[in-house]
Amino acid sequence: MVEDVLAAVGPRLRELRVARDLTLAALAEQTGISVSTLSRLESGRRRPTLELLLPLARVHQVPLDELVDAPQTGDPRVHAKPFTRHGSTYVPLTRNPGGLRAYKLVMPPQAPERTLEPQVHEGYEWMYVLSGRLRLVLGEHDLMLGPGEVVEFDTRTPHAFVNPGHGPAEVLTLFGPQGERMHVRARPRSAG
């Protein structure tokens, strides 16, 4: 049984790397593990060790037990750790690093005169304002969103967002790194 579990680690590592659109060289740079060792791990020609799996779990942002397919504990709750990027706090709401990702985003207020620098990248984003306000510059549009408002857009369109309010803004966001679209229905389709 142990051999079966270890044999499944290589394909899982490759799947995670491909889902994150990383080359072996890029992963080697982030983990400090050589390209040849990573290649042998993924192909099953190298036995995974704790010293190799810990940096891989960190870079892929998955629990170690997910890499080795440990049995489920029965607890479906997500225990991901919040992180800060560009002054905003991201609370992960999903475990899976590949595919669609969900976050609760808490944004501190920013000066309204702040110049936004729109960015582009692969993906598709959906945002729902829970509280506060969100200013979204999307292509030629400059939108002000309030609680209950939703936007969705291709992230290859130049975009930037900021909290122009006086207090924190909270936003629920879904992001598909490969451009996956979210399908949200308000009511079921009628038969016929």
Side-chain angles (χ1 to χ4, degrees):
M1 178 168 162
V2 171
E3 289 303 317
D4 291 340
V5 168
L6 292 176
V9 171
R12 193 169 299 104
L13 288 172
R14 184 177 193 293
E15 182 180 304
L16 285 168
R17 180 179 58 80
V18 169
R20 294 188 69 222
D21 200 25
L22 286 174
T23 63
L24 283 171
L27 186 58
E29 187 176 307
Q30 291 182 32
T31 60
I33 301 170
S34 73
V35 171
S36 63
T37 298
L38 290 170
S39 177
R40 290 193 321 267
L41 274 172
E42 287 186 3
S43 67
R45 292 179 288 140
R46 169 87 188 246
R47 188 178 181 112
T49 64
L50 192 56
E51 290 81 15
L52 295 171
L53 293 177
L54 285 173
L56 288 165
R58 180 185 48 78
V59 167
H60 289 310
Q61 298 176 344
V62 297
L64 187 59
D65 60 348
E66 192 172 311
L67 289 181
V68 295
D69 197 24
Q72 290 289 336
T73 62
D75 186 353
R77 292 176 289 184
V78 175
H79 298 285
K81 294 180 181 165
F83 59 93
T84 302
R85 184 176 294 153
H86 307 296
S88 295
T89 301
Y90 288 77
V91 181
L93 303 175
T94 51
R95 292 183 215 177
N96 189 358
L100 296 177
R101 301 177 204 157
Y103 300 96
K104 178 180 179 185
L105 173 59
V106 181
M107 303 173 65
Q110 305 261 324
E113 65 277 358
R114 177 181 167 211
T115 303
L116 294 178
E117 296 179 24
Q119 305 289 318
V120 297
H121 53 88
E122 286 296 318
Y124 199 84
E125 189 136 11
W126 177 91
M127 302 174 96
Y128 176 82
V129 180
L130 296 166
S131 65
R133 294 186 328 157
L134 179 73
R135 177 180 173 213
L136 171 68
V137 174
L138 180 64
E140 60 193 41
H141 304 284
D142 192 338
L143 307 167
M144 194 66 67
L145 305 168
E149 291 191 280
V150 180
V151 291
E152 63 178 321
F153 55 93
D154 187 319
T155 56
R156 291 176 293 186
T157 303
H159 63 283
F161 50 89
V162 67
N163 171 6
H166 298 291
E170 295 183 332
V171 177
L172 179 63
T173 179
L174 300 175
F175 174 70
Q178 307 294 315
E180 296 96 336
R181 289 178 165 250
M182 289 34 116
H183 299 284
V184 181
R185 285 199 187 114
R187 61 184 180 279
R189 290 183 183 174
S190 59

